[in-house]
Amino acid sequence: MKNICIFRSVRERRGISARVLPLAAICLTALLPVACAQPEIRTELPVKQTLQPLSPVGEARGVFPGRVAWSYAPGAARWDGGDGFWFLDGRNSQEACDWLVGSALCTLTGTGSAAEAWSVLFTSANSSRSRGGRGYVAGETVTIKINNNNTYSHADNEEINASPQLVLALLKSLVGQGGVPQSDIIVAEPSRFITDYLFDKCHAAFPDVRYVDNAGGDGRVKSEYEADAMAYSQDNGPLARGISTAFTEADYVINMALLKGHVGQGVTLCGKNWYGTMSIHADWRKNFHNNFNQSRDGAAKYITFVDFMGHEDLGGKCMLYLVDGLYGCRNVGGKPGPKWQMQPFGGDWPCSLFASQDPVAIDMVGVDFLTNEFPDMPDVDYSDMYLSEAAQAGNAPSGTVYDPEGDGTPVGSLGVAEHWDNADDKRYSRNLGRDAGIELVRTEKDFR
């Protein structure tokens, strides 16, 4: 990677004072200084996209608007790609996963500790929802939406799903530094199953956390649904309308998605992860997927994901977006893989965690990583279309009036969208000193 101003360090912006952290406190090894010669700006796209590089649309969100924290821990994922389960403890470093979560939280919020970071996140979430500038209050529920889409029962399988070590690291941080009682936390996968290894690991450490999935039993709680909670912005046929009560009754939500491709939509990140909150069947073949796909010619259209992102009980309650990139995957299913050639990964697993308060920005970064690493993914062209719609939801390119509650109050911009300049430098507009767009901030610690 070129030794130029790739990422911008934590700084003051729009009246929000960022405390500059000591290097030892947040283990920054890859934040490059802002003050340097003007870099040459080179832009390129590996596949057809709706939006252009360094041309932001929408309104950035977060205490540092548009910020996406990228924590990179080489050595966190150690599976050799051969036989056996990739998620076993001997093949993943819990220490590294703990660092990934803590570093991402601190970098995202410009704080020196995870405890401070959670305070900022809770206060920001309450302020954005007109609940007063206060932090977490005991008795309020925090629901974490994981992605265990490739599960068929409580039995473990070899396919890519949520990384147990990262889920545990998040719980450790939320309870230990965030001060949230175990009994106020729900880990939820209402559309699928929380498999044994993940459940056993997390339940052993946090037995009072509630684990909600599609079937219940074996220590899990069976999901219930609030009927007709979703009013789609267009006629969406027989698409499921119930939302899991783990979300409708939650006070705060965390969306913990996966970094992987997907047939039909090209990618599956935070926007699609919301589908797993709906009253759908555990067998995907029995579900409808209306208006999930982008148009193949690039023409703007209504996309269901924007309704998920804007709904008051889903995106409206989400205080933190995470993308689990410990392994990443070219395809929606199967074992993780292949290993990543993009720098800085260099033929290894990405060993990364991404965090943001901006649901559009974090998925845009995910799209850029995936489409540049795997430009031959199925249905990859125009995979950013839902993000263009979401960023401009108040005046959507498709002309759709997005009103997911059907109460006559349309949503406005849900975040900021743009592509980076190129896969080598990975710079967005705010990395180049501009006052709009995305800011990608990288931290790194080596665990090899």
Side-chain angles (χ1 to χ4, degrees), residues 41-57 364 368 372 384 417-423 427-429 432 434 437-438:
I41 297 176
R42 177 169 55 90
T43 61
E44 56 190 40
L45 289 173
V47 299
K48 295 177 182 177
Q49 297 284 21
T50 307
L51 300 170
Q52 295 302 309
L54 302 180
S55 300
V57 296
M364 286 297 307
D368 282 344
N372 280 273
D384 65 346
E418 68 170 326
H419 291 289
W420 65 29
D421 55 349
N422 62 81
R427 297 171 298 192
Y428 293 88
S429 290
L432 295 166
R434 301 171 185 174
I438 295 172

Side-chain angles (χ1 to χ4, degrees), residues 53-64:
L54 302 180
S55 300
V57 296
E59 299 175 11
R61 294 188 172 192
V63 293
F64 293 95

